[in-house]
Amino acid sequence: MEKTKVALLGAGFIGDIHLESYRRFVPEAEVTAVFSGTERRAEEFARQHKIPRWFTSIDELLKHADCEVVDIGIPNFLHASVAEAAARAGKHVIVEKPLCMRLEEADSMAETCRQANKKLMYAEQLCFAPKYERVRHLIQEGAIGKPYLIKQSEKHSGPHSDWFYDVDRSGGGVLMDMGCHALGWFRWMLGRPAAKSVYATMDTVLHKGRTRGEDQSIMIVEFENGVTGLAEDSWARHGGMDDRVEVYGTEGVSYADLFMGNSALTYSQRGYGYAAEKAGTTQGWTFSMFEEAFNQGYPQELRHFVECVREDREPLVTAADGRAVLEMIYAAYHSARTGAKVPLPFTAKVKKPVDLWHQPDLQGAVT
Amino acid sequence: MEKTKVALLGAGFIGDIHLESYRRFVPEAEVTAVFSGTERRAEEFARQHKIPRWFTSIDELLKHADCEVVDIGIPNFLHASVAEAAARAGKHVIVEKPLCMRLEEADSMAETCRQANKKLMYAEQLCFAPKYERVRHLIQEGAIGKPYLIKQSEKHSGPHSDWFYDVDRSGGGVLMDMGCHALGWFRWMLGRPAAKSVYATMDTVLHKGRTRGEDQSIMIVEFENGVTGLAEDSWARHGGMDDRVEVYGTEGVSYADLFMGNSALTYSQRGYGYAAEKAGTTQGWTFSMFEEAFNQGYPQELRHFVECVREDREPLVTAADGRAVLEMIYAAYHSARTGAKVPLPFTAKVKKPVDLWHQPDLQGAVT
Amino acid sequence: MEKTKVALLGAGFIGDIHLESYRRFVPEAEVTAVFSGTERRAEEFARQHKIPRWFTSIDELLKHADCEVVDIGIPNFLHASVAEAAARAGKHVIVEKPLCMRLEEADSMAETCRQANKKLMYAEQLCFAPKYERVRHLIQEGAIGKPYLIKQSEKHSGPHSDWFYDVDRSGGGVLMDMGCHALGWFRWMLGRPAAKSVYATMDTVLHKGRTRGEDQSIMIVEFENGVTGLAEDSWARHGGMDDRVEVYGTEGVSYADLFMGNSALTYSQRGYGYAAEKAGTTQGWTFSMFEEAFNQGYPQELRHFVECVREDREPLVTAADGRAVLEMIYAAYHSARTGAKVPLPFTAKVKKPVDLWHQPDLQGAVT
Amino acid sequence: MEKTKVALLGAGFIGDIHLESYRRFVPEAEVTAVFSGTERRAEEFARQHKIPRWFTSIDELLKHADCEVVDIGIPNFLHASVAEAAARAGKHVIVEKPLCMRLEEADSMAETCRQANKKLMYAEQLCFAPKYERVRHLIQEGAIGKPYLIKQSEKHSGPHSDWFYDVDRSGGGVLMDMGCHALGWFRWMLGRPAAKSVYATMDTVLHKGRTRGEDQSIMIVEFENGVTGLAEDSWARHGGMDDRVEVYGTEGVSYADLFMGNSALTYSQRGYGYAAEKAGTTQGWTFSMFEEAFNQGYPQELRHFVECVREDREPLVTAADGRAVLEMIYAAYHSARTGAKVPLPFTAKVKKPVDLWHQPDLQGAVT
C-alpha cells in the first residue's frame, strides 16, 4: 500500500496533535515534511519525530517537499494565502479552524481549490469527536424527539501561542478561536440549516493587558429550522479544558462532557506531571484526561481526509462550512457592538472580524 | 413562646411545600388558616393537615382568621390586590415569586405595605437554598476572584396547574415563572448591582396548543459591575427538575446542581413511587431526590420571614427586589420581540408582561 | 412549651455538631450545661455558645446541672461508666457511636438504664441521614427488588483528637471509629437481620508511628437473610470526607454519595477557608460541602431522641443495636488475626476490641 | 507492507469486538479466516465481514487457513487444547481471558508454545484500556504516593451465551468470567507482585435456576508488597455494564469509571437503539456509551500482539499472568467454601475451578 504523503505546516500545539494522530491512527498516511518559520523549531520537530524533511519557507516546501497533502496549522491570517498557494502547487489542503480571516478569503480559497481540482477540507474535529458523534446518532435515531435547543461551550484559561492574542494575526479572540467550534458543530449536528440571526455579547475580563480580542463570549444563533444555538466560549476559565454539549428535544435531552466527564478523578498531595490541557495545578483534586487527541476527534478527522484524497471523495466538512461559520462570527462581532440580533446573510468589508466589534467607525462598512 | 400565626393562601403545590416547611423547620410559626377558591380543596387541605380554619373567600379570611402573617401562594394576577388587602387588614405579607404582574402593581404593593407599616417579603427561596448559599459564601471569600459570568438554569416539563398556561392569569410563560428565579438570584449573589441591559430570545416549543406563553427562553443580563448573567429556563425539558448554577471568576469557577447533583442514583426495573419533581418515569435510571423543600431553601426562607415579623427586622429580600426582577422580565419580553438588547431602566404600560412579546401593536406603549 | 434540658458531655468536634443541631433544628430542646475535662475548653465553649453552666467533673454535672438528658460525646472508654452514672442520676442517655468498648459494658449499660427506667439511645446518625434514608425508602418500595449486596464506605485522612489513636482509650482504630457506622447502618437498612459471620482484613498504612490501631480496613458480613455487607473504612484517604453507599438488588441498584455527591464543585487558584471535613487543600478543584450536620443526619437523630424522651417512646436505635455492632467489631478484629470468617454469635474477654487483632496470646480468651 | 494474517476462532460477542478492532485499529493485520462450530454462523460471519474463508472444524482451519496468528475466543474449556494445537501447527496464539480452566492446562500451554517457539499472549484488555492506563501512569509518577488499596469491579446482568452458565464449559461463574479481569489488572498495576493470600465470598442470587456457578462475588487479595486488592464482580447488576477502579495511596487517590463515567447522559421518552453493553431499557435516563472497544483496550491489545509477532518481541501479558490469575481463582473458590483466607501458592486437582466451591468432597484433592 502506497502511503499518502502529508506536509505539516506548523510545529506548535496543533502540529503535535496532528502528527500523533497520523502516526497512531492513520496508517494510510505518512508525514514527509514539516514547516516552521523558526529554523530551530522546524529542525527539532523533524528530528524528534523522524520526519524526513523540514522547511522554513512555505514556498520552498510547496516546490520541493514530496507530498500530496498540505496540512495547515499556522496562524489564521496565513490560512487563505497558503491554502491557495498549495492548491496551485497541486496539493490537497486541510486547514485548521477557523477557515480564514475574511469572507472574501473564504470565497477565494474555495474557488482556487475548485479550479485546481484539489480537495479543501475544513478541519472541525468536533464533527469527529466520538462522544459528540454518539449524541448526533442518538438524535438521528429520534431518542430526544425534535431538537429545539443546542448548546456547546468551550473554555480554558487562554491559548499557548502569542499570535492568538494579536488580533491582526488571529482576527479576533475567543469567539474566533473557539466559538467557531460551536458554530461548525451546530451546523453539523442539525444537518446544516441556514442560520437566520446571530446575537452576541463579549468582553475582555482576564487578558485585558494582553489582547484587544475578547476572552469571554456568549452567542445565540437562530436557525431556520426553529432550533436555537447557544455557544459559550472563554479564555478566562481556570481548571483545565472544558468542552461540553447539551441537546434538548421535545422528547428528551442529551448531555456530553468531553474532558471532565471522560477523565479519571485524582487527588494528589504532591501533584504530578500533566492532568489535561490547561489544567493548572495538579495538586489536590484533578480531572486526569487521557487519549485527548482521539477523544477530540483529531485522528478520525485526518483519516477521513486522507481517505477522501485516496478515493477522490468530497470531504464531509468543507470550505462552505468554514465560510458559514465565519459569516456567523462576523455577525456575532457586529451584534456585540450594536447590541442587536443580526439577521443573516450578513457581510461586511473588514480587515479582520474583530474590527466589527471594537471599531465603531467601521459601521459604514457594513452592507 | 407565643407562636406567630400564619394564614396560607393557596392549597396547591406551593401550599404543600410551605406547610411542610413551617411544620418541620419553623417552630416559631403555626398555620392557623388556609384559603382555596375551591371549597372541597380548602376543606380537605385543612382536615388533612389539621389546620384549624379554612376559607373560600380571601376577604373573609382577612376579617376572621386569627393570623399576623399572610402567605400568598395563589396565581400571579392576584398577588398585588391580595397583598394590599392583607396589609390594609393589618397582616404582614410574604408573596411567592414573581412579585406581581405589572410594574405599577409592584410600586403600589410596596407603598401600601409601607403605609400600613407591614412587612412585605419577596419569596425568592433560591436566596436561601443551602447549596447556592455555599457558592455565594465561597465567592465572598474570594475563592474565584472577581466574578465575570453568572449562570442559572431551571428546567422541567411544565407546571402543575392550568393557570400557568393562561397568560391572563400568569402574565407570561416560563420566563415569568422560572426566569424570575435567575434574575432574583443574580442580584442576590452579586450584591444587587443595577442591570444595564437585557437581551432575550424565547419560543413555544412543546406546549404550543396549550399556551400563548413561551416555554423556552434564554436571557442575557449585563450588570453595571461588568458581570454578565445568563439565564436559561424551560418548560420543555423532560427527565425531572433541573436547577443548576455556575459562577465564573478571574481566579476560579464554582458549579452547583440542586437536583441531579444532590440525588441518589437509582436503577429500577419495575419503577417506584416518586423520584423528583417532574421526573417522569421511575423505571430505568433515575436521580432520586430527597428533602426537596430544605434543599431548595423554602423553610430557611419562611423562618427568616417569621423572625423578621417577630423581631421587627426588614426581610433580606423585598418588594424592591421583586420589582427589579419584574422590570428585567418586561425588558426580556420586549427584547424577544425587537431582537435587540434593551437598556435599563425600562418601563411599559401593559396588561401583562408577555404582551410585550407577542403583541406588536403594543410597541407604542413602550416609553 | 417547656424545653427538654440537655447536658453535653464533650466540647470537641462532635460537641460542636450536636450543639449546632440542637440549636438550629431541635426547638424542643435546650442545652443547659457542658462538660469538658479541660477547664479552659469547658469555659470557652460555654461562653461562646451562651450555655448557662459548665463543668470539669462529670459527677458534679450529674449532681448539679439542671438537665433531663445527658449527651455523651467523650472518648469511647468512658461511654459505659458515664452512661450508667447518668442513668442512675435519673438522666436519659444518648451516646455517640461506638456504644462502648466491651461487650460486657454494652450489656451492663442496657441493664442499668432499664432498671433506672431511663432511655438509652445509640447515636448512629446515618440512620437519619436524609440521602441514605431516601435509599432505604426506595428499597422498601421495592424499587430494586430483593437486596443481595449492601455497601458502605467511610474514609478520610485521620481523626481530630489524639485519643482516637490511643487504643486504650478508643478500643481500636478506623474499624472501631467508622466501621461501626457501616455495621449499624446495614442492620438498619435490612431490618436488623442477625449476622451469620464476619470476615475482615486490616492494616496500618499511614499512621504507623502514631497508633497501634488499624487505619485501613475491609469487612464482609453475611446476614441470615442472605444479604452480604461490604464495609470499607480508612483513615488514610486524602481529599476530604468520603461517605458512600451502594445497595444491589435482584431488580435494580441504588447509589448515594453523602459528601462529594452533594457538594458544589469549585476551582480556586488562591484557595478559600473550608471545603469539607478533612478536605486538605482548597486550592485547585474542591468539593465544597454544605449543611454537613443536616446532611449527615445529626439534628434529625437528636430531635428523634428528644421526642422519645418527651413522649416516652422507645428510640429507634438502641443499645441492642450498639451491642450488635460491637459484637461484629469483635468478630472483625478476630477475623483479621485468624484470616478466617468468624461465625456469629461471637464473644471474647478482652480489655478492648483491637486486642483481638494484634495480641496473639489472647487467643485463649476467645470462648 | 505485508500484513499479518489472523484466524479468528469464535464468531460471537468477543469475535465481533476483535474483528472491529483489527479492522479499524490494527492496519498491520488482516483477518483471513473464521471458525464457528455452527456452520450457518461461520458462513454468515465470514460473508458479512468479507473474511475470505470460514471453517467449522478447528483442525481444518489449522491445516488449511492461511494465517500466522490464531485468536481464540471460544468457550473456556477449549482454550488449552486449541492453543496447544495451534502452536503445534506453527501459529502464534492469543487467548481470551481466562487463560484456561485448570492450572495443569496453563502449565502445558506455556510449555507447548515455548517448545514450538510460538508467542502466547494472555488477552487481558484492561491492561490496555486507556483510562486505566492513565491511572497506572499517574501512580508511576508518584501522584498518589505508595498504593495500599486497589479496587476493581465489573458488573452486569449476565453473559450473552449459554456456555457461560454451564460450569463444565466455563469452569465457574462470574469470578471466572470477570473476576479474572480484576486479578490480572491488579498484577499489571502493581508490577506483578506475588499474592500472599486470597479470601472470597460468593453466591448465586439472580440466575439460580440457570447455573451452578456464582453470579455474585467479592474477593480480597493480599499481595507481598503490602497492597490489598478488592475485586467485586456480578452478573446480577442491572442498568448496563459497570466497570470501575479505585487506587488508594498514602498521598492520594485515583478513581476511574470506564462506562458510566465516559458516557453521554441521555433522557429519552421513547427510547433508542442501544445505550451500552447490557444496558436494559433505553427509555428514561441512560448512560450512552461510545467507542466501547477502544475504551476497553481491545484494539490496543491486539495491535500490541501483532507487533510482538512481527518484531519477535515477548507480549506484555503472558501465560504466566494467566496462570497466576487462575491460581487466585482456584484459591478464591476454595476460600468461598472454607470461609478462610487461603495462602498462596495454592494448587488443587479439579476438573474445573468452581468444583472447589460447591463440592465438599473435593477437599481431599487440595494439596
Side-chain angles (χ1 to χ4, degrees), chain B residues 257-319:
Chain B
D257 183 326
L258 216 51
F259 281 75
M260 293 168 73
N262 272 12
S263 60
L265 178 62
T266 303
Y267 186 88
S268 173
Q269 279 191 317
R270 66 170 80 167
Y272 57 100
Y274 174 86
E277 202 184 325
K278 314 277 189 333
T281 180
T282 60
Q283 286 185 296
W285 286 107
T286 42
F287 296 88
S288 315
M289 191 52 189
F290 62 97
E291 284 288 10
E292 293 187 54
F294 183 88
N295 276 305
Q296 291 183 82
Y298 286 105
Q300 296 88 336
E301 168 195 76
L302 296 174
R303 186 166 196 177
H304 167 71
F305 183 59
V306 169
E307 287 172 1
C308 288
V309 167
R310 297 170 73 92
E311 302 165 14
D312 195 20
R313 289 193 284 126
E314 209 44 38
L316 285 170
V317 194
T318 67

Side-chain angles (χ1 to χ4, degrees), chain C residues 142-287:
Chain C
I144 66 163
K146 185 183 150 11
Y148 61 83
L149 173 64
I150 184 165
K151 298 169 54 178
Q152 197 258 357
S153 71
E154 193 166 316
K155 304 191 174 189
H156 58 53
S157 53
H160 303 261
S161 305
D162 278 341
W163 66 263
F164 286 94
Y165 299 92
D166 173 0
V167 293
D168 288 329
R169 287 187 282 167
S170 61
V174 72
L175 183 69
M176 192 79 184
D177 178 36
M178 286 164 29
C180 61
H181 284 307
L183 298 170
W185 185 76
F186 291 164
R187 284 171 47 85
W188 175 251
M189 287 294 291
L190 302 172
R192 297 189 174 83
K196 282 196 310 184
S197 73
V198 171
Y199 178 82
T201 178
M202 61 192 65
D203 204 351
T204 313
V205 298
L206 186 65
H207 300 285
K208 217 158 218 156
R210 193 175 181 191
T211 185
R212 296 192 66 228
E214 71 291 352
D215 59 12
Q216 161 66 23
S217 73
I218 300 172
M219 223 182 329
I220 298 173
V221 184
E222 293 171 322
F223 290 98
E224 275 196 351
N225 60 1
V227 180
T228 302
L230 175 58
E232 286 182 63
D233 293 279
S234 186
W235 284 348
R237 192 274 203 177
H238 301 282
M241 187 73 166
D242 185 36
D243 198 316
R244 285 184 279 164
V245 303
E246 303 184 355
V247 189
Y248 294 77
T250 49
E251 300 176 27
V253 67
S254 187
Y255 305 125
D257 184 328
L258 215 51
F259 281 75
M260 291 169 72
N262 273 10
S263 61
L265 178 61
T266 303
Y267 186 88
S268 173
Q269 279 191 315
R270 67 169 81 167
Y272 57 100
Y274 175 85
E277 205 183 323
K278 313 277 188 330
T281 180
T282 60
Q283 285 185 296
W285 287 107
T286 42
F287 296 88

Side-chain angles (χ1 to χ4, degrees), chain B residues 205-222:
Chain B
V205 299
L206 186 65
H207 301 285
K208 217 159 218 156
R210 193 175 183 193
T211 186
R212 297 192 65 229
E214 73 290 351
D215 61 9
Q216 162 64 25
S217 73
I218 301 172
M219 222 182 329
I220 298 173
V221 184
E222 292 171 323

Side-chain angles (χ1 to χ4, degrees), chain D residues 211-244:
Chain D
T211 185
R212 296 190 67 231
E214 72 290 353
D215 59 12
Q216 161 64 24
S217 73
I218 300 172
M219 223 182 327
I220 297 173
V221 185
E222 292 172 322
F223 290 98
E224 276 197 347
N225 61 2
V227 179
T228 301
L230 175 59
E232 285 182 64
D233 293 279
S234 187
W235 284 348
R237 192 276 205 176
H238 302 283
M241 187 72 165
D242 185 36
D243 199 316
R244 285 183 279 166

Side-chain angles (χ1 to χ4, degrees), chain B residues 32-348:
Chain B
T32 57
V34 63
F35 156 84
S36 168
T38 313
E39 177 159 0
R40 188 199 171 103
R41 188 171 190 86
E43 188 181 358
E44 273 184 17
F45 193 91
R47 192 179 50 232
Q48 188 189 338
H49 297 297
K50 301 193 171 45
I51 298 173
R53 303 196 59 182
W54 53 269
F55 295 85
T56 57
S57 150
I58 292 173
D59 282 348
E60 291 300 306
L61 181 147
L62 292 178
K63 269 185 224 153
H64 302 301
D66 180 21
C67 68
E68 297 144 72
V69 166
V70 163
D71 179 333
I72 300 179
I74 51 181
N76 300 343
F77 76 108
L78 298 168
H79 285 192
S81 58
V82 170
E84 296 193 48
R88 282 193 211 103
K91 315 296 188 191
H92 298 289
V93 175
I94 179 164
V95 59
E96 256 306 304
K97 56 85 213 169
L99 184 66
C100 52
M101 282 206 350
R102 287 191 299 273
L103 287 173
E104 299 86 344
E105 293 176 336
D107 294 332
S108 179
M109 286 166 81
E111 182 56 23
T112 302
C113 291
R114 189 162 31 222
Q115 287 182 1
N117 201 24
K118 292 295 148 194
K119 313 235 171 273
L120 173 56
M121 178 159 171
Y122 176 57
E124 176 47 67
Q125 100 285 347
L126 288 190
C127 304
F128 299 87
K131 200 172 198 170
Y132 291 176
E133 279 297 274
R134 181 61 159 117
V135 173
R136 191 168 67 94
H137 293 307
L138 282 170
I139 287 154
Q140 287 178 338
E141 283 184 69
I144 66 162
K146 184 183 151 10
Y148 63 82
L149 173 64
I150 183 164
K151 298 169 54 177
Q152 195 258 356
S153 71
E154 192 165 316
K155 305 191 174 190
H156 58 53
S157 53
H160 303 259
S161 305
D162 279 342
W163 68 263
F164 286 94
Y165 298 93
D166 174 0
V167 292
D168 289 328
R169 287 187 283 167
S170 61
V174 73
L175 183 69
M176 192 79 185
D177 178 36
M178 287 162 30
C180 62
H181 282 306
L183 299 171
W185 185 75
F186 290 164
R187 284 171 48 84
W188 175 251
M189 288 294 290
L190 301 172
R192 297 190 174 83
K196 281 195 312 181
S197 73
V198 170
Y199 177 82
T201 179
M202 63 192 63
D203 204 352
T204 314
V205 299
L206 186 65
H207 301 285
K208 217 159 218 156
R210 193 175 183 193
T211 186
R212 297 192 65 229
E214 73 290 351
D215 61 9
Q216 162 64 25
S217 73
I218 301 172
M219 222 182 329
I220 298 173
V221 184
E222 292 171 323
F223 289 98
E224 275 197 351
N225 61 1
V227 179
T228 301
L230 175 59
E232 286 183 63
D233 293 281
S234 186
W235 284 349
R237 192 275 204 177
H238 301 282
M241 187 73 165
D242 186 36
D243 198 316
R244 285 183 280 165
V245 302
E246 302 184 356
V247 188
Y248 294 78
T250 48
E251 299 176 29
V253 65
S254 187
Y255 305 125
D257 183 326
L258 216 51
F259 281 75
M260 293 168 73
N262 272 12
S263 60
L265 178 62
T266 303
Y267 186 88
S268 173
Q269 279 191 317
R270 66 170 80 167
Y272 57 100
Y274 174 86
E277 202 184 325
K278 314 277 189 333
T281 180
T282 60
Q283 286 185 296
W285 286 107
T286 42
F287 296 88
S288 315
M289 191 52 189
F290 62 97
E291 284 288 10
E292 293 187 54
F294 183 88
N295 276 305
Q296 291 183 82
Y298 286 105
Q300 296 88 336
E301 168 195 76
L302 296 174
R303 186 166 196 177
H304 167 71
F305 183 59
V306 169
E307 287 172 1
C308 288
V309 167
R310 297 170 73 92
E311 302 165 14
D312 195 20
R313 289 193 284 126
E314 209 44 38
L316 285 170
V317 194
T318 67
D321 293 296
R323 192 205 186 279
V325 166
L326 191 60
E327 183 190 23
M328 289 189 270
I329 288 175
Y330 269 49
Y333 280 119
H334 187 56
S335 169
R337 182 160 51 80
T338 60
K341 188 189 290 195
V342 173
L344 295 179
F346 175 83
T347 190

Side-chain angles (χ1 to χ4, degrees), chain C residues 92-104:
Chain C
H92 299 289
V93 175
I94 178 163
V95 60
E96 257 306 303
K97 56 85 210 168
L99 184 66
C100 52
M101 281 208 348
R102 287 190 298 273
L103 287 172
E104 300 85 343

Side-chain angles (χ1 to χ4, degrees), chain C residues 95 97-111 114 120-123 180 183-184 187 192 317-331 344-349 367:
Chain C
V95 60
K97 56 85 210 168
L99 184 66
C100 52
M101 281 208 348
R102 287 190 298 273
L103 287 172
E104 300 85 343
E105 292 176 335
D107 294 332
S108 180
M109 285 166 82
E111 182 55 24
R114 189 164 31 229
L120 173 56
M121 178 160 173
Y122 176 57
C180 61
L183 298 170
R187 284 171 47 85
R192 297 189 174 83
V317 194
T318 67
D321 293 297
R323 189 203 190 279
V325 167
L326 191 60
E327 183 191 23
M328 289 189 270
I329 288 176
Y330 270 48
L344 296 179
F346 175 82
T347 190
K349 286 223 158 19
T367 49

